[in-house]
Amino acid sequence: MTTLEIRDLHVSVDTPEGDKPILKGVDLTVSSGQTHAIMGPNGSGKSTLAYSLAGHPKYRVTRGTVRLDGDDVLAMSVDERARAGLFLAMQYPVEVPGVTVANFLRTAKTAVSGAAPPLRAWVKDVAAAMDALRFDREFQERSVNEGFSGGEKKRHEILQLELLKPKIAILDETDSGLDVDALRVVSEGVNRAKANTAVGIMLITHYTRILEYIRPDFVHVFVAGRVAEEGGPDLAARLEAEGYDRFLSAV
């Protein structure tokens, strides 16, 4: 059982106008096998939470704690967080010219596991995961995300999730830019990863359509840098019907 505990997290960013607080006291706990949907209007702090947990230098933690199985995540470097079991699927995956997908995946697996995976088994695992995601195996020889469509980039993110087997996965708007078929395939990959490894999932999204495929155990509504309400799947359905007006009017 793995647990990510976030307590009283405050995060700011530097702007030309000065220090700008984004997160203003977030409390959240994600454990193995759980799926937490993080929802809320634009600018509410959802992506700030994701990138702060991953260690992006743009975001400065000013107060609070983040612990993974008791270990201080905020004291870790970015690579240490990944090796500890944190995984971030980015909303806008970056291109890495000159590094093939095959080399990227094997290098990442070696770094996370501490040893290179046996080649024959690894090649088989990669091929099976790509086939399940309907991701052409020829992409292994292409540079990471270079010239990929939006759907191909998201498939590659979930391919990493399935192969690297993290303890906690943060999925930042994985549904953005996906058509109906790609959304279903990517969602199936997330569900497969959860079934195979009991990974804890923090799923950041604006919309409920992905929640038709990835069923959340908990829903958290972010407004103005705080968790304004928490509930189960029924809360997501209410948000779909009513929107965020009742939260925004109270800010």
Side-chain angles (χ1 to χ4, degrees), residues 48-111:
T48 294
L49 174 64
Y51 288 96
S52 299
L53 295 175
H56 195 298
K58 174 182 175 182
Y59 302 95
R60 184 166 53 88
V61 175
T62 57
R63 197 165 87 196
T65 60
V66 180
R67 296 191 176 277
L68 182 64
D69 293 335
D71 294 329
D72 185 0
V73 171
L74 300 180
M76 301 177 187
S77 62
V78 173
D79 60 307
E80 287 171 339
R81 297 180 196 205
R83 288 198 295 270
L86 285 181
F87 175 88
L88 172 64
M90 295 182 285
Q91 181 180 0
Y92 303 109
V94 298
E95 297 182 0
V96 187
V99 178
T100 66
V101 167
N103 284 338
F104 173 80
L105 291 172
R106 186 167 170 79
T107 300
K109 183 66 173 180
T110 300

Side-chain angles (χ1 to χ4, degrees), residues 228-250:
E229 188 170 337
E230 297 175 306
D234 57 313
L235 177 55
R238 185 179 177 188
L239 292 172
E240 178 71 11
E242 300 178 0
Y244 299 106
D245 284 349
R246 66 188 176 93
F247 299 105
L248 295 174
S249 61

Side-chain angles (χ1 to χ4, degrees), residues 2-241:
T2 290
T3 301
L4 177 70
E5 294 180 294
I6 303 166
R7 294 289 178 267
D8 193 31
L9 187 65
H10 290 68
V11 175
S12 295
V13 297
D14 292 324
T15 71
E17 293 75 31
D19 189 61
K20 180 180 180 180
I22 304 295
L23 298 185
K24 303 170 184 177
V26 172
D27 293 299
L28 189 63
T29 300
V30 180
S31 297
S32 297
Q34 297 178 347
T35 298
H36 293 250
I38 311 297
M39 304 186 71
N42 286 325
S44 59
K46 303 185 301 300
S47 291
T48 294
L49 174 64
Y51 288 96
S52 299
L53 295 175
H56 195 298
K58 174 182 175 182
Y59 302 95
R60 184 166 53 88
V61 175
T62 57
R63 197 165 87 196
T65 60
V66 180
R67 296 191 176 277
L68 182 64
D69 293 335
D71 294 329
D72 185 0
V73 171
L74 300 180
M76 301 177 187
S77 62
V78 173
D79 60 307
E80 287 171 339
R81 297 180 196 205
R83 288 198 295 270
L86 285 181
F87 175 88
L88 172 64
M90 295 182 285
Q91 181 180 0
Y92 303 109
V94 298
E95 297 182 0
V96 187
V99 178
T100 66
V101 167
N103 284 338
F104 173 80
L105 291 172
R106 186 167 170 79
T107 300
K109 183 66 173 180
T110 300
V112 168
S113 302
L119 186 57
R120 182 173 296 181
W122 174 250
V123 169
K124 183 179 179 181
D125 289 345
V126 172
M130 293 188 80
D131 290 346
L133 286 165
R134 302 182 196 176
F135 197 14
D136 194 323
R137 295 187 194 179
E138 292 183 359
F139 277 82
Q140 293 184 72
E141 304 310 316
R142 293 177 57 175
S143 291
V144 172
N145 293 325
E146 192 170 37
F148 288 21
S149 68
E152 289 160 353
K153 289 179 179 179
K154 296 305 175 70
R155 280 179 166 87
H156 183 218
E157 294 285 285
I158 304 309
L159 177 64
Q160 296 170 50
L161 171 64
E162 292 202 66
L163 293 171
L164 299 180
K165 297 179 170 56
K167 296 176 181 178
I168 301 291
I170 306 159
L171 310 181
D172 187 18
E173 298 195 34
T174 296
D175 50 340
S176 66
L178 297 182
D179 60 30
V180 174
D181 291 331
L183 177 63
R184 183 176 63 253
V185 170
V186 164
S187 298
E188 288 171 352
V190 174
N191 289 333
R192 213 166 31 245
K194 181 180 176 181
N196 290 336
T197 67
V199 59
I201 295 171
M202 185 185 299
L203 177 63
I204 297 170
T205 183
H206 284 292
Y207 310 107
T208 59
R209 64 173 190 158
I210 194 171
L211 304 183
E212 297 174 10
Y213 300 99
I214 302 174
R215 181 82 171 170
D217 300 295
F218 307 94
V219 175
H220 311 267
V221 183
F222 267 51
V223 177
R226 296 184 176 90
V227 177
E229 188 170 337
E230 297 175 306
D234 57 313
L235 177 55
R238 185 179 177 188
L239 292 172
E240 178 71 11

